[in-house]
């Protein structure tokens, strides 16, 4: 005779919750009140549980109901299942930074990375000593690298517009001319003509000789002399500190707090000169994949980047109100 297998019952979390209430209260009425439903609905649920488990579960004993041996055996397990469901379906809670043991991979230009690293390490040592960082140069296509998890965060001038990428602007900067002490450009007020006549270094990963400064000079019928193109801002600043070459350095806007992106120029002893031309501001931001938006560890990382790169507005302003 052929055996017919009964289909497994459909998993229903509400049944587990009802079973827990019935076994805990040992009363249809009290279980219904606990789950904010009617006694009639709870009676129907009990009948369904009896069919599925093939056990009466609760039986009448005078004016009360008592559990069967099977119900007693299920009681603790049902309660544990309901606790697990509650944890599973609850909103994520914040993480304790001190308990983090994550390694975050960041992609940034060398100047941004150099400004970020010492401050970010100090902050991590204070709040999240188990966290480590891997900084990569701007060598990967950021959109796909964020998407496939090769980098956790891109920091810098965000120029890709992948629809899913989350982007937040951190700070706006201006470009200044950086020269060594005693450079002839420091002897008199800087004019567009004097700036154009000097020798320049351009910074470009793609080897480009021109940029926004050349556009602004062209509007004055001027053209600068770019003697060398380097892929690194730090190398360009080092060259400017050792020669008469002029390089461009991002600095805080007038009236804003100092920017950590000028720390290395200051350490090299470079003089920063206002450029007497209208140049577009440089916006530094961070980009991440939306799968990390609600992750507690990544939220701590983004908040740490904000506090590291943004000039403090007041002693009590240290984080973005959107991500406490």
């Amino acid at each position: 005779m052929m055996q017919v297998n009964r289909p497994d019952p459909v998993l229903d979390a509400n049944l587990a919750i009802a079973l827990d209430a019935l076994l805990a209260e040992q009363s249809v009425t009290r279980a219904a009140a606990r789950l904010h439903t009617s006694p009639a609905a709870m009676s129907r649920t009990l009948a369904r549980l009896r069919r599925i488990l093939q056990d009466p579960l609760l039986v009448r004993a005078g004016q009360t109901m008592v559990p069967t041996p099977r119900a007693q055996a299920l009681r603790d397990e049902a309660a544990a299942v309901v606790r697990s469901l509650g944890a599973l379906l609850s909103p994520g809670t914040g993480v304790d930074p001190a308990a983090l043991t994550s390694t975050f991979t960041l992609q940034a230009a060398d100047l941004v990375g150099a400004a970020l690293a010492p401050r970010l390490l100090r902050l991590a040592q204070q709040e999240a000593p188990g966290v480590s960082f891997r900084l990569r140069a701007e060598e990967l296509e950021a959109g796909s690298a964020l998407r496939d998890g090769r980098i956790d965060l891109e920091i810098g001038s965000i120029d890709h517009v992948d629809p899913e990428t989350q982007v937040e602007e951190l700070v706006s900067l201006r470009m200044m001319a950086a020269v060594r002490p005693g450079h002839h450009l420091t002897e008199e007020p800087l004019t567009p003509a004097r700036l154009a006549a000097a020798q320049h270094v351009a910074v470009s990963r793609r080897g480009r000789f021109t940029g926004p400064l050349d556009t602004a000079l062209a509007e004055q019928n001027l053209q600068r002399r770019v003697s060398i193109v380097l892929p690194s801002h730090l190398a360009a600043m080092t060259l400017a500190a050792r020669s008469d070459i002029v390089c461009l350095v991002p600095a805080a806007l007038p009236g804003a707090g100092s920017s950590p992106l000028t720390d290395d120029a200051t350490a090299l002893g470079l003089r920063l000169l206002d450029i007497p031309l209208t140049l577009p501001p440089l916006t530094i931001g961070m980009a991440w994949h939306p799968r990390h938006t609600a992750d507690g560890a990544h939220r701590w990382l983004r908040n740490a980047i904000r506090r590291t790169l943004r000039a403090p507005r007041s002693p009590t302003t240290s984080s973005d109100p959107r991500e406490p």
Side-chain angles (χ1 to χ4, degrees):
M1 182 177 178
M2 185 174 63
Q3 182 179 359
V4 178
N5 294 324
R6 294 183 179 180
D8 294 332
V10 176
L11 292 176
D12 186 341
N14 290 323
L15 283 179
I17 295 170
L19 177 62
D20 174 53
L22 285 163
L23 299 184
E25 300 293 344
Q26 296 184 23
S27 164
V28 170
T29 302
R30 290 195 299 271
R34 177 171 170 173
L35 298 183
H36 308 288
T37 188
S38 68
M42 185 56 68
S43 291
R44 290 192 295 271
T45 301
L46 175 57
R48 185 179 175 193
L49 285 165
R50 285 168 170 167
R51 289 194 303 272
I52 292 172
L53 297 175
Q54 299 183 19
D55 188 273
L57 299 175
L58 295 174
V59 297
R60 182 68 59 185
Q63 298 299 314
T64 63
M65 300 188 79
V66 295
T68 65
R70 178 77 190 282
Q72 289 178 327
L74 289 174
R75 184 171 181 172
D76 290 343
E77 186 177 351
V81 167
V82 171
R83 286 194 299 270
S84 297
L85 282 171
L88 177 66
L89 299 177
S90 295
T93 56
V95 299
D96 178 9
L100 290 177
T101 57
S102 305
T103 295
F104 295 112
T105 300
L106 316 177
Q107 179 162 292
D110 66 322
L111 184 59
V112 176
L116 190 67
R119 295 168 182 243
L120 190 58
L121 279 178
R122 284 197 297 268
L123 185 59
Q125 288 165 1
Q126 295 168 3
E127 298 181 8
V131 164
S132 56
F133 305 95
R134 179 189 297 112
L135 267 71
R136 302 189 65 153
E138 295 176 299
E139 57 190 3
L140 300 176
E141 184 64 36
S144 59
L146 290 169
R147 190 182 307 117
D148 61 26
R150 284 176 291 165
I151 59 176
D152 297 300
L153 202 63
E154 179 192 8
I155 307 159
S157 179
I158 311 298
D159 56 5
H160 57 87
V161 289
D162 296 338
E164 74 271 20
T165 302
Q166 301 290 303
V167 179
E168 179 183 329
E169 294 183 1
L170 295 171
V171 63
S172 289
L173 305 169
R174 59 173 172 158
M175 301 306 293
M176 300 186 73
V179 297
R180 65 169 179 80
H183 193 283
H184 68 273
L185 289 183
T186 65
E187 297 171 357
E188 299 177 19
L190 187 61
T191 64
R194 295 186 69 231
L195 179 62
Q199 282 193 318
H200 291 255
V201 54
V203 177
S204 172
R205 290 183 294 116
R206 299 178 177 87
R208 295 173 179 169
F209 277 77
T210 60
L213 177 58
D214 300 279
T215 301
L217 286 170
E219 293 175 354
Q220 305 285 326
N221 294 319
L222 296 170
Q223 183 176 354
R224 65 172 175 160
R225 162 73 169 155
V226 176
S227 300
I228 186 171
V229 178
L230 295 176
S232 162
H233 293 84
L234 294 177
M237 290 192 299
T238 301
L239 178 61
R242 297 175 178 175
S243 67
D244 285 336
I245 288 283
V246 179
C247 74
L248 300 183
V249 172
L253 296 175
S258 61
S259 169
L261 271 71
T262 59
D263 287 352
D264 288 290
T266 301
L268 287 168
L270 292 173
R271 294 278 306 275
L272 299 184
L273 307 176
D274 288 323
I275 295 175
L277 295 163
T278 301
L279 300 179
L282 172 67
T283 299
I284 300 295
M286 59 181 172
W288 66 94
H289 193 272
R291 70 174 176 275
H292 293 308
T293 297
D295 178 67
H298 204 277
R299 284 167 61 93
W300 176 86
L301 172 65
R302 298 195 300 270
N303 195 29
I305 298 298
R306 291 187 194 99
R307 289 181 284 163
T308 299
L309 288 184
R310 283 177 176 166
R313 292 183 290 273
S314 69
T316 58
T317 302
S318 60
S319 62
D320 194 297
R322 293 172 296 175
E323 298 201 47

